[in-house]
Amino acid sequence: MPLLLDLLNKMPPAAARIFEGALQRSPALRRQLDRQYDALVADLDASLHPYRGRLPGYTRLPAQGRTRADILKEMTALQEEEQVRWRDGFVSGAVYHGDRAHIDFLNAVYALNSQSNPLHFDLWPSTVKYEAEIVAMTAHLLGAGATPDPIVGTVTSGGTESILLAMRSYRDLGRSQRGIARARIVAPITAHAAFDKAAQSFGMELVRVPVDGGYRADVAAMAAAIDRNTVAIVGSTPSFPHGIVDPIPALAELAQATGVGLHVDACLGGFVLPFARELGYNIPDFDFRLPGVSSMSADTHKYGYAAKGTSVVLYRGETLRRYQYYAVADWPGGLYFSPTLAGSRAGALSATCWAAMVSMGESGYRGAAAKILATARFIRGSIERMPDLVVLGDPLFVIALASPTLDIYRVLDAMTARGWSLNGLHRPAAIHLCVTLRHTEPGVAQRFLEDLAAAVAEVRLQPASKGGMAPVYGIAATLPMHGLVEELLKRIVDALYRVE
Ligand SMILES: Cc1ncc(COP(=O)(O)O)c(C=O)c1O
């Protein structure tokens, strides 16, 4: 790890904070820091751009267009190369179904609908039908039939957009009904980063509350964080980092008692937990069956098995949903309205989502959930018996593991070297595997466990290796000030967009 960052990393938090401030102000130290950022990003650069030097890179349009056949040939080769890791189950999350026949079916549906844009509802009423039915089917799955309230919603582009929209709706409801100037959201630290994005984007205050020893939302601590400006509290089913289902019944009671909204982020679990319950897993109520739940997000493009690019945001009642809409009556471009952040949208993605849902049906989702939950249980049990590793909390299908004895990020890098793409977590240092249908294929879970055992053994023998993500996480996990790490992350984004 570069010297200056390494030094900061090892300092006591208070000293590091002072040093970080000085670092930002001193041009000489700043230049040194810049060089260190460059070195860290350069370390990652080759892995970010593996095609450099192998394929033509465009910094301007080609003077003459390439032939379609040539483009298709190049893309086919890339796709074949890139699909191997996720197809063979080396990846956490990312591709949730991945069966060839399912993908071919979705691709055929996409091709049929590739010109559709729901903004032009008059031209593509079929897409309007698909979207309304996606929302209705998702709402039904999440308790719409069990409450007298109407459960309504819209299709969005993904979990993040669903969360952004719900938070903005709460902000605007709070502003108009309660006169709140700066709305507060109270969320466990484990709630998805999309809640930070919402707060940053819409000028809201996000209060992050520590979780309990089992990585579950601490309801008493959340209650203490609710103030007069609070418009909503948040729970996850389950959370992204540790795959833990928050105590939604208690949060729903808290929301009702304090008169604030409760958003249940079921982006991961929306299409798994309802079936897990049917399969006999112990899942307390987490959806609109609880009167205190006022909105939910559920990702069709994860365990809904649609192509990437759709999610559903749901609300109890029309009022909250109305705050989400955008309508303008005095624009020279005509009377304009749209339900979500985007204007034009890919109707084909909604068609594909509808087709995925209707082709899977309840029995398809139930069968998929059974396989995923059983595989995850097997993996979890096996990890719990491994020396040097511990499973965090009591997870269902996202399994986070840490090590009391080894640097878990070295284990992450050793797994990466074996072809795996797992997620690094921090605070506490951990990694996770989000179990998908890919891992339910014969031999995949076993291979994961064997590779994990080998990775742990390797790190035990050689605890200090170079490169990879370990140094980046090393900094991020311990540095008291976030500014330096966030700048490093932004530099990685810059690097993603660099063409040579
Ligand atoms: C619990 C949870 N919420 C929200 C999101 C954000 O979803 P997306 O990446 O589709 O925007 C994720 C993504 O993994 C998630 O796991």
Side-chain angles (χ1 to χ4, degrees), residues 31-52:
R31 273 195 299 279
Q32 210 200 333
L33 185 65
D34 279 342
R35 278 198 295 278
Q36 301 199 350
Y37 280 135
D38 289 345
L40 271 171
V41 174
D43 253 11
L44 291 174
D45 203 53
S47 64
L48 300 178
H49 300 286
Y51 302 123
R52 253 187 212 151

Side-chain angles (χ1 to χ4, degrees), residues 81-143:
E81 200 172 312
E82 289 176 0
Q83 75 176 348
V84 176
R85 280 175 91 197
W86 61 255
R87 186 196 61 202
D88 295 348
F90 280 99
V91 175
S92 168
V95 176
Y96 292 77
H97 194 298
D99 174 67
R100 193 69 251 167
H102 181 73
I103 295 172
D104 288 346
F105 168 61
L106 298 188
N107 290 347
V109 173
Y110 192 98
L112 278 176
N113 294 278
S114 70
Q115 302 309 301
S116 158
N117 178 358
L119 194 64
H120 301 284
F121 50 86
D122 53 332
L123 292 180
W124 287 286
S126 57
T127 306
V128 173
K129 172 184 186 302
Y130 299 142
E131 293 205 332
E133 292 178 7
I134 292 167
V135 171
M137 288 188 281
T138 309
H140 179 263
L141 207 54
L142 297 174

Side-chain angles (χ1 to χ4, degrees), residues 96 157-161 163 192 194 236 238-240 265 267-268 299 301-302:
Y96 292 77
S157 62
T160 299
E161 193 187 4
I163 289 167
H192 196 268
S236 308
S239 66
F240 172 82
D265 179 13
C267 280
L268 274 174
D299 283 359
H301 71 187
K302 293 191 175 82

Side-chain angles (χ1 to χ4, degrees), residues 1-308:
M1 189 191 309
L3 206 66
L4 202 59
L5 290 172
D6 193 23
L7 194 68
L8 262 171
N9 208 7
K10 289 183 178 136
M11 273 186 196
R17 214 165 293 138
I18 295 167
F19 192 56
E20 189 190 36
L23 210 57
Q24 304 282 19
R25 283 189 301 276
S26 153
L29 283 176
R30 183 72 238 177
R31 273 195 299 279
Q32 210 200 333
L33 185 65
D34 279 342
R35 278 198 295 278
Q36 301 199 350
Y37 280 135
D38 289 345
L40 271 171
V41 174
D43 253 11
L44 291 174
D45 203 53
S47 64
L48 300 178
H49 300 286
Y51 302 123
R52 253 187 212 151
R54 210 181 103 185
L55 295 173
Y58 295 100
T59 53
R60 53 176 290 176
L61 286 169
Q64 301 293 327
R66 284 171 65 179
T67 64
R68 290 172 181 156
D70 187 32
I71 293 169
L72 282 174
K73 189 167 161 234
E74 183 174 307
M75 285 187 167
T76 305
L78 295 182
Q79 187 267 353
E80 277 170 3
E81 200 172 312
E82 289 176 0
Q83 75 176 348
V84 176
R85 280 175 91 197
W86 61 255
R87 186 196 61 202
D88 295 348
F90 280 99
V91 175
S92 168
V95 176
Y96 292 77
H97 194 298
D99 174 67
R100 193 69 251 167
H102 181 73
I103 295 172
D104 288 346
F105 168 61
L106 298 188
N107 290 347
V109 173
Y110 192 98
L112 278 176
N113 294 278
S114 70
Q115 302 309 301
S116 158
N117 178 358
L119 194 64
H120 301 284
F121 50 86
D122 53 332
L123 292 180
W124 287 286
S126 57
T127 306
V128 173
K129 172 184 186 302
Y130 299 142
E131 293 205 332
E133 292 178 7
I134 292 167
V135 171
M137 288 188 281
T138 309
H140 179 263
L141 207 54
L142 297 174
T147 163
D149 301 324
I151 304 302
V152 298
T154 67
V155 174
T156 72
S157 62
T160 299
E161 193 187 4
S162 290
I163 289 167
L164 290 179
L165 290 170
M167 294 305 108
R168 200 189 53 175
S169 296
Y170 284 117
R171 181 198 69 177
D172 292 351
L173 178 85
R175 187 180 288 165
S176 76
Q177 293 193 354
R178 293 167 56 199
I180 294 173
R182 186 165 163 80
R184 171 182 279 202
I185 309 163
V186 175
I189 45 167
T190 47
H192 196 268
F195 292 95
D196 291 274
K197 200 181 252 187
Q200 281 181 32
S201 306
F202 304 132
M204 305 171 80
E205 181 196 13
L206 175 66
V207 178
R208 291 281 195 176
V209 177
V211 286
D212 69 15
Y215 300 90
R216 290 157 39 102
D218 179 336
V219 181
M222 289 193 49
I226 295 175
D227 70 355
R228 283 185 327 156
N229 294 327
T230 304
V231 291
I233 60 174
V234 174
S236 308
T237 58
S239 66
F240 172 82
H242 317 114
I244 304 296
V245 176
D246 282 327
I248 305 299
L251 289 176
E253 271 180 34
L254 175 62
Q256 279 202 300
T258 51
V260 302
L262 168 59
H263 182 85
V264 174
D265 179 13
C267 280
L268 274 174
F271 288 84
V272 180
L273 296 194
F275 300 102
R277 291 183 85 148
E278 288 179 13
L279 292 163
Y281 287 81
N282 176 24
I283 314 281
D285 280 346
F286 68 97
D287 58 18
F288 290 106
R289 285 172 184 85
L290 297 167
V293 174
S294 47
S295 62
M296 294 188 74
S297 40
D299 283 359
T300 39
H301 71 187
K302 293 191 175 82
Y303 293 95
Y305 307 123
K308 269 291 169 275

